[in-house]
Amino acid sequence: LSESGVPQLVQPMIWDYAADLDVEGKVHLIEKYRRCGFSKVWFASAFKGATGANQSLTLIGHHLKNHLQWLKVASSSPADVLEGIALTGWQRYDHFSVLCELLPVAVPSLAVCLQALKNGGYSEKIKENVEKLLGMSNLETETFMR
């Protein structure tokens, strides 16, 4: 890769939607990319559509945990390596599948994930802020929203 010149033309994106992603493994992967000459990498997470092909509701806690893990990867990596994070919201698993959870039911998950990334973590104060922004009285992250 180093000799090909590719690292001067592209920036790799590391995808992982798991709530328990391997932080240490991702840090080692970033180190390998750096040794190959890539100066920047992107992360890719999901705020919806990554927990089941026939999912109709979004389990916010799963996506929040994923973003908190990505924050750990970022804080364990060199400060100048992260170019950005793409928050994906998958609509279906393939072109022949039914739609998974639609955007309206996933808006609270998107808000929670964005606030967690913006604030470098998640707390009761951030939860209250999201509730206020969305006009909700009780944001549930560990069960499906009612």
Side-chain angles (χ1 to χ4, degrees), residues 107-108 111 126-140 145-146:
V107 167
I126 294 169
K127 176 183 181 260
E128 291 170 3
N129 186 38
V130 171
E131 289 172 338
K132 183 178 177 186
L133 288 169
L134 297 178
M136 301 174 73
S137 60
N138 186 24
L139 178 67
E140 300 173 28
M145 292 292 297
R146 288 180 257 156

Side-chain angles (χ1 to χ4, degrees), residues 9 13 15 26 28 35 39 50 56-57 61 65 76 80 82 88 104 112 116 130:
L9 302 173
M13 183 172 286
W15 302 74
K26 294 294 184 266
H28 289 306
R35 286 196 303 272
S39 60
S56 58
L57 298 173
K65 289 173 187 166
S76 300
D80 63 339
L82 179 60
T88 64
V112 164
V130 171

Side-chain angles (χ1 to χ4, degrees), residues 10 13 30 104-105 109 134:
V10 300
M13 183 172 286
I30 292 167
V105 299
S109 179
L134 297 178

Side-chain angles (χ1 to χ4, degrees), residues 6 10 16 22 31 34 38 43 52 56 73-74 98-99 106-107 111 114 121:
V6 169
V10 300
D16 199 325
D22 178 8
E31 290 169 3
R34 296 276 288 209
F38 292 97
F43 299 159
S56 58
V73 174
V98 298
L99 296 176
V107 167
L114 285 171

Side-chain angles (χ1 to χ4, degrees), residues 48-88:
K48 76 172 210 69
T51 57
N54 62 351
Q55 193 79 15
S56 58
L57 298 173
T58 306
L59 186 56
I60 298 170
H62 172 91
H63 301 290
L64 173 59
K65 289 173 187 166
N66 175 255
H67 286 89
L68 295 176
Q69 292 297 93
W70 277 120
L71 286 171
K72 288 180 185 177
V73 174
S75 68
S76 300
S77 301
D80 63 339
V81 72
L82 179 60
E83 186 68 14
I85 182 167
L87 277 75
T88 64

Side-chain angles (χ1 to χ4, degrees), residues 87-119:
L87 277 75
T88 64
W90 295 101
Q91 198 62 48
R92 63 178 79 214
Y93 276 59
D94 62 57
H95 293 291
F96 304 107
S97 296
V98 298
L99 296 176
C100 48
E101 68 252 53
L102 301 177
L103 181 61
V105 299
V107 167
S109 179
L110 176 59
V112 164
C113 294
L114 285 171
Q115 287 296 308
L117 291 175
K118 177 183 174 185
N119 292 286

